[in-house]
Amino acid sequence: MESIPVEHGLILAAILFSIGLIGVLTRRNIVFVLMSLEIMLNAGGLAFIVGASRWGHAEGQIMFLMILTLAAAEVAVGLGLIIQMFRRYKTVDINVLSEMKG
Amino acid sequence: MIALFYIAAIIAVIATVAVILQTNIVHGLLYLILSLLAVAVIFYVLGAPFAAVLEAIVYAGAIMVLFLFVIMMLNLGQHTRDQERSWLTPRGWIVPSLLAAVLLGQLVNVMSQIDHELIPAQIGVMEVSALLFGPYVLAVELASILLLAGLVAAYHLAKTK
């Protein structure tokens, strides 16, 4: 089978991570911020899979499974918070959360 | 196989850029699903079929459907789309893009010093699950507790008073 340079896989993960970072920093819609966080977590998982493929070990895939679990739990809690926020403020703008009063 | 890797990589990058540029949430979500499926193809090419299947089922399936349900519950209409358009000014993109470009430059600089060739060897379900239920069984238990905590927290947070 042909070979792929390992740095290409890692650079792809870095590009996806940077795009996710731009999304988190730029967007004001909280749903898009959560989606960008998903992109960043996925990029981390991609780096682990590239590592697993490089060394021929299954441990990288196990770390990917842990990231998958973490992402699922994080999304459940984040979406619950979004629903609660929308119920209180009737908007998805994160700037309305600038004052944290009980 | 090697061409498949680069095609899927290009699709993943384009779809991910499209996600953060969208003003319509549902369109952004569909692009994100496309991006995740492209990453699943990359996993398959890199010799991780189990991770590829989980990426398609759990990420592109379950998590994105969860997003879709919440977007339907919020019922955001034309008003939000106009608001979104007014939020996305070109000036707001400059500083975050610059910071991310600096970070990306550093990462690429470090990573281009690695020059290993990667020969994708298939690591199937059996190897992964033998490790998962062997030395890493405690991690599986902790993951299940984390998911339970997430379930309880989501139920509590989304509850109406």
Side-chain angles (χ1 to χ4, degrees):
Chain A
M1 201 183 269
E2 314 97 321
S3 62
I4 300 163
V6 73
E7 66 264 27
H8 287 185
L10 290 175
I11 286 171
L12 174 66
I15 291 172
L16 291 180
F17 188 86
S18 305
I19 295 171
L21 185 64
I22 295 174
V24 171
L25 291 174
T26 313
R27 303 303 299 233
R28 269 174 76 181
N29 187 332
I30 192 162
V31 183
F32 273 104
V33 173
L34 205 57
M35 272 157 66
S36 304
L37 280 175
E38 284 306 300
I39 295 169
M40 290 168 80
L41 277 174
N42 193 43
L46 176 61
F48 270 113
I49 295 286
V50 173
S53 190
R54 163 67 183 88
W55 299 106
H57 285 175
E59 269 92 350
Q61 292 195 35
I62 288 167
M63 281 313 292
F64 173 74
L65 291 187
M66 295 302 139
I67 290 176
L68 201 71
T69 318
L70 179 72
E74 176 245 337
V75 159
V77 174
L79 289 173
L81 283 170
I82 289 176
I83 291 174
Q84 194 60 254
M85 171 191 166
F86 196 75
R87 205 172 275 147
R88 286 199 187 180
Y89 298 101
K90 301 283 173 229
T91 176
V92 283
D93 183 5
I94 41 176
N95 280 15
V96 300
L97 297 179
S98 55
E99 45 205 67
M100 302 270 281
K101 286 182 211 151
Chain B
M1 273 315 232
I2 192 159
L4 204 61
F5 173 82
Y6 290 106
I7 294 168
I10 290 166
I11 292 174
V13 170
I14 292 172
T16 313
V17 170
V19 171
I20 62 166
L21 293 176
Q22 287 298 314
T23 49
N24 190 329
I25 296 185
V26 180
H27 291 178
L29 202 61
L30 291 176
Y31 275 117
L32 186 53
I33 291 175
L34 179 63
S35 157
L36 293 173
L37 289 177
V39 174
V41 171
I42 291 171
F43 286 174
Y44 186 75
V45 173
L46 290 178
F50 187 47
V53 168
L54 279 181
E55 174 95 4
I57 295 175
V58 179
Y59 252 117
I63 295 179
M64 292 301 123
V65 167
L66 210 62
F67 265 104
L68 210 59
F69 274 141
V70 169
I71 290 165
M72 282 157 73
M73 268 178 80
L74 298 184
N75 199 14
L76 306 165
Q78 184 65 43
H79 166 65
T80 331
R81 228 167 299 154
D82 297 338
Q83 207 178 23
E84 195 74 33
R85 216 159 274 152
S86 67
W87 285 344
L88 285 178
T89 52
R91 274 186 57 224
W93 289 96
I94 298 170
V95 176
S97 303
L98 222 63
L99 286 174
V102 171
L103 179 68
L104 181 63
Q106 283 182 333
L107 285 173
V108 168
N109 186 28
V110 170
M111 281 163 188
S112 54
Q113 289 160 13
I114 313 165
D115 52 346
H116 284 299
E117 288 292 302
L118 185 155
I119 296 142
Q122 290 282 322
I123 303 167
V125 186
M126 224 181 82
E127 288 93 327
V128 178
S129 22
L131 272 182
L132 209 54
F133 291 100
Y136 290 97
V137 71
L138 185 65
V140 175
E141 296 297 329
L142 287 176
S144 71
I145 292 171
L146 177 70
L147 281 174
L148 180 66
L151 171 73
V152 173
Y155 173 73
H156 176 71
L157 286 171
K159 199 169 57 174
T160 41
K161 287 215 183 94

